[in-house]
Amino acid sequence: MNTSSPAHGPSQDPGGARPRVLVVDDDQGIRTVVRWQLSDSGYEVIEAADGQNALTKIAEESPVLIVLDLSLPVVGGLDVLRSVREGRVGGTPRDLPVIILSGRDGETDRIIGLDLGADDYLVKPFSPGELAARVRSVLRRAGPRRAEAIAVGPLRIEPTTHEAWVGDTRVDLTPKEFELIAFLAAHPRHVFTRRQLLEQVWKSAEWLGEATVTEHIHRVRSKMESAQGPRLIRTVRGVGYQLDIPA
């Protein structure tokens, strides 16, 4: 197999190091196939067969992306994802890209994974070439993240700490709820359709229904209003939603 980096492979640093991807799956055969494909696509691949080992590798090896199975022994895949997004893996950025690789094809599992902050979801059986393409796509999207705080009226968004505040009250949001309010806050008064929000926040409008957006808007509104904040998210009837600017 040709292991040279292809023309459309990942960029390398000046020292020639390959971007490091952690593949977490308890099936050695799947790990082998993924390792071959990603290595051939220009990545350095490290592996873990269970969730606890994955957490250790994440902390010690500093991967740029994780390919994560859901059904893992010791510590489950969703628990690994939750640990990363809640900042419980020492020295690891909370926005470390994660692609879920799973045999679960139900919409509920997809929504749970994406709501916890997964960047993409690929169902087994899968094409190794498609996985490599999705790794490239997720890493391109990740790029340099916006680090500046965003303020709209009493709402303050802190991207570096993944925190949202209404006045002096911190609003407890899931990773996807935070991404949704942060996206709206970055575009105040801009009206987005549900489909546009699926494309921009969930990165897909193909297999998630628009009801996903409606439910997340409802939950974010409820949490913000519990923090004694005004109703900043306005429904534009027949169109979608916007983050309003208080007078």
Side-chain angles (χ1 to χ4, degrees):
M1 176 175 291
N2 177 19
T3 57
S4 60
S5 180
H8 298 289
S11 60
Q12 299 180 2
D13 66 27
R18 292 181 163 203
R20 181 176 297 152
V21 174
L22 172 62
V23 177
V24 188
D25 199 299
D26 60 347
D27 187 322
Q28 183 176 351
I30 290 178
R31 295 201 311 273
T32 298
V33 169
V34 173
R35 185 180 71 246
W36 286 347
Q37 180 65 52
L38 293 184
S39 295
D40 198 44
S41 298
Y43 299 92
E44 175 189 350
V45 179
I46 55 177
E47 303 175 30
D50 62 70
Q52 186 58 58
N53 191 22
L55 291 172
T56 299
K57 291 285 182 72
I58 293 168
E60 294 179 352
E61 302 286 349
S62 300
V64 299
L65 180 143
I66 307 169
V67 177
L68 179 67
D69 184 30
L70 287 185
S71 302
L72 295 172
V74 188
V75 175
L78 289 178
D79 289 325
V80 171
L81 175 58
R82 186 178 291 110
S83 293
V84 171
R85 292 298 181 251
E86 293 179 357
R88 292 189 276 119
V89 186
T92 298
R94 294 186 179 199
D95 57 0
L96 175 67
V98 177
I99 297 177
I100 288 180
L101 188 62
S102 176
R104 304 177 185 179
D105 194 18
E107 184 179 32
T108 298
D109 290 310
R110 293 176 186 252
I111 291 173
I112 290 173
L114 292 169
D115 195 31
L116 283 174
D119 296 88
D120 205 344
Y121 193 113
L122 189 60
V123 177
K124 302 175 183 177
F126 61 94
S127 159
E130 180 183 358
L131 174 59
R134 293 198 185 200
V135 167
R136 291 192 295 271
S137 176
V138 167
L139 287 175
R140 280 197 303 269
R141 292 202 308 258
R145 301 292 177 103
R146 179 189 176 106
E148 299 85 0
I150 305 170
V152 180
L155 174 66
R156 188 174 81 256
I157 302 293
E158 297 285 354
T160 56
T161 58
H162 261 234
E163 292 178 334
W165 297 78
V166 173
D168 295 327
T169 303
R170 182 179 180 274
V171 184
D172 186 18
L173 301 173
T174 68
K176 194 55 67 178
E177 289 168 357
F178 176 84
E179 288 183 40
L180 175 60
I181 191 63
F183 178 78
L184 289 173
H187 306 84
R189 297 196 62 81
H190 188 112
V191 180
F192 293 95
T193 67
R194 292 173 178 84
R195 183 176 182 85
Q196 287 173 325
L197 290 173
L198 282 173
E199 292 171 345
Q200 295 296 324
V201 179
W202 280 264
K203 308 304 180 187
S204 175
E206 300 305 319
W207 41 261
L208 284 176
E210 294 184 357
T212 299
V213 176
T214 304
E215 174 62 22
H216 279 71
I217 291 287
H218 172 76
R219 281 159 34 187
V220 172
R221 275 178 173 161
S222 178
K223 291 179 179 182
M224 290 173 62
E225 290 168 13
S226 295
Q228 306 304 311
R231 175 167 284 204
L232 294 177
I233 303 176
R234 188 169 76 91
T235 300
V236 179
R237 194 172 300 278
V239 184
Y241 303 100
Q242 70 174 172
L243 193 77
D244 207 358
I245 301 177

